[in-house]
Amino acid sequence: MTGYLICYDGTKYQLPLPLSWQLDYALGVPCDSFWLRCVWEKGQEQVLADAVRFEAEENGETVFRGVVDECQVSLDGEGCLLEVSGRGMAALLLDNEAGAADYQTATVEDILRDHVTPYGIETAGVDPLPAVSGFAVQSGSSEWKVLYDFARYYGGVAPRFDREGKLWLTGWQDGEAVVIGDSTPVTELVSRDRRYGVLSRVTVRDRTREVTETVENGEFLRRGGRSRRVLTMPGRSNYRAMRYSGQFQLDKSASELLRVQVRLPILFFAWPGQLVRLERWEWGRCGTFRVLESRVEADRSGGGTRLELGSPDAVI
């Protein structure tokens, strides 16, 4: 992998061949992140002071673009070493607070214009999301929350960034699933059933309209699950948002019940959002899953990919 630091004035500096590195990809939150260690030489401190972006390439393809958070130079028995770390482009929306605002009618174009493009973020794909009447931005909300609330609660689409740092506001674009079969080199398979955090019932109260709605996870209740949440919607919510919030919380918790982790000695085996089909005779949890998180790392001993898999219909 080849890493680059990009300075505030657009200057692009190629880093020495990394001794070790790690790239973490997810679907929105947690934010993508990177870490890299390489040999360094004194006299180039200004490059580090001016660096604001990081890019990584593998075989001529961009595999990461993000924000530089920290640069550290150390001198020890191994010599002079540089460590660079940071996050994906979603960090710009997470770190910036939106100003309170009331939209008579908010469109996706309005949200992108006011809360995304001012930070230099490019959009790769946008579904025709519905306009929202009376959309309000609460004081103290991050730009990410504004985008997420508009797209997810009203449009049913989870915002996410690709490996080139571009924003997608689309549903899943499923192609053929990546197969992990008996001939695929796998170093570890882990299956985890986690009942903690799964909700059995969500009650949503709208004090303004004096409306209360309860949604239930019937299957979890049948299996003895007992975990209720009571949500009170803001005064300016509407019924559609209230209903979707309750069902959303229920579905999101249910989708976290089963997780499968796979480690493979192959770099960049699969990306978040892709479908993966497990077909291994010795494994009891075969089937089709969606990649929720992917960690790609390498050092002198080798490299590989760790995948976090969940339900194909996982709620993000």
Side-chain angles (χ1 to χ4, degrees):
M1 186 195 75
T2 304
Y4 299 89
L5 292 179
I6 302 173
C7 300
Y8 69 90
D9 61 359
T11 304
K12 193 171 184 177
Y13 178 85
Q14 181 174 334
L15 293 168
L17 188 67
L19 303 174
S20 53
W21 53 270
Q22 177 178 303
L23 303 177
D24 287 297
Y25 305 91
L27 292 170
V29 177
C31 184
D32 296 350
S33 61
F34 74 91
W35 172 85
L36 175 147
R37 176 188 287 131
C38 63
V39 174
W40 192 247
E41 296 181 1
K42 68 176 183 179
Q44 304 179 84
E45 289 75 15
Q46 194 59 46
V47 173
L48 304 183
D50 294 344
V52 294
R53 298 286 182 269
F54 170 81
E55 284 187 4
E57 291 184 358
E58 178 77 4
N59 297 324
E61 179 185 4
T62 299
V63 293
F64 197 97
R65 185 170 188 268
V67 178
V68 174
D69 283 335
E70 183 175 332
C71 297
Q72 172 183 299
V73 177
S74 61
L75 184 62
D76 56 23
E78 295 186 70
C80 190
L81 300 176
L82 168 68
E83 292 188 22
V84 183
S85 60
R87 294 165 293 161
M89 297 298 286
L92 296 174
L93 302 183
L94 289 164
D95 289 350
N96 283 279
E97 184 175 310
D102 293 314
Y103 292 85
Q104 183 175 0
T105 300
T107 65
V108 66
E109 291 79 14
D110 293 330
I111 299 302
L112 292 175
R113 180 197 66 223
D114 297 340
H115 304 283
V116 176
T117 54
Y119 303 98
I121 293 173
E122 299 181 46
T123 303
V126 180
D127 280 351
L129 304 182
V132 180
S133 299
F135 183 77
V137 178
Q138 302 297 323
S139 177
S141 298
S142 68
E143 299 285 32
W144 171 262
K145 187 178 187 306
V146 175
L147 174 67
Y148 183 89
D149 287 355
F150 179 88
R152 196 65 176 98
Y153 288 118
Y154 294 94
V157 171
R160 60 191 185 276
F161 285 79
D162 62 18
R163 53 188 175 272
E164 295 182 355
K166 296 180 180 179
L167 173 66
W168 289 81
L169 293 176
T170 64
W172 302 120
Q173 299 175 327
D174 294 333
E176 187 175 352
V178 179
V179 178
I180 299 179
D182 292 328
S183 62
T184 307
V186 173
T187 56
E188 184 181 42
L189 270 169
V190 178
S191 177
R192 184 181 74 246
D193 289 275
R194 186 182 63 184
R195 291 171 62 88
Y196 176 78
V198 178
L199 303 178
S200 58
R201 182 179 288 112
V202 178
T203 297
V204 184
R205 299 187 303 170
D206 188 330
R207 293 177 177 175
T208 302
R209 294 172 176 81
E210 297 183 351
V211 176
T212 299
E213 183 190 62
T214 297
V215 290
E216 297 180 342
N217 182 338
E219 180 64 18
F220 191 55
L221 281 167
R222 187 181 69 81
R223 294 177 179 272
R226 294 293 185 274
S227 180
R228 187 183 72 160
R229 295 292 183 274
V230 178
L231 307 176
T232 300
M233 295 301 294
R236 305 194 64 175
S237 65
N238 59 38
Y239 183 75
R240 181 182 178 190
M242 183 191 73
R243 178 179 177 81
Y244 191 54
S245 295
Q247 191 63 50
F248 173 78
Q249 298 298 331
L250 201 70
D251 293 344
K252 189 175 190 301
S253 71
S255 67
E256 295 175 356
L257 178 61
L258 173 63
R259 288 289 187 271
V260 176
Q261 291 183 355
V262 187
R263 290 183 183 270
L264 310 98
I266 303 172
L267 296 176
F268 304 105
F269 183 83
W271 303 99
Q274 280 189 292
L275 294 178
V276 169
R277 191 166 68 251
L278 286 174
E279 298 179 350
R280 298 182 71 87
W281 71 270
E282 80 279 20
W283 184 247
R285 280 281 172 79
C286 291
T288 301
F289 301 86
R290 191 175 301 280
V291 179
L292 303 181
E293 297 180 25
S294 175
R295 169 174 290 180
V296 187
E297 54 190 347
D299 55 24
R300 293 169 180 172
S301 63
T305 303
R306 188 198 73 180
L307 302 176
E308 180 92 4
L309 309 178
S311 166
D313 301 318
V315 177
I316 306 301

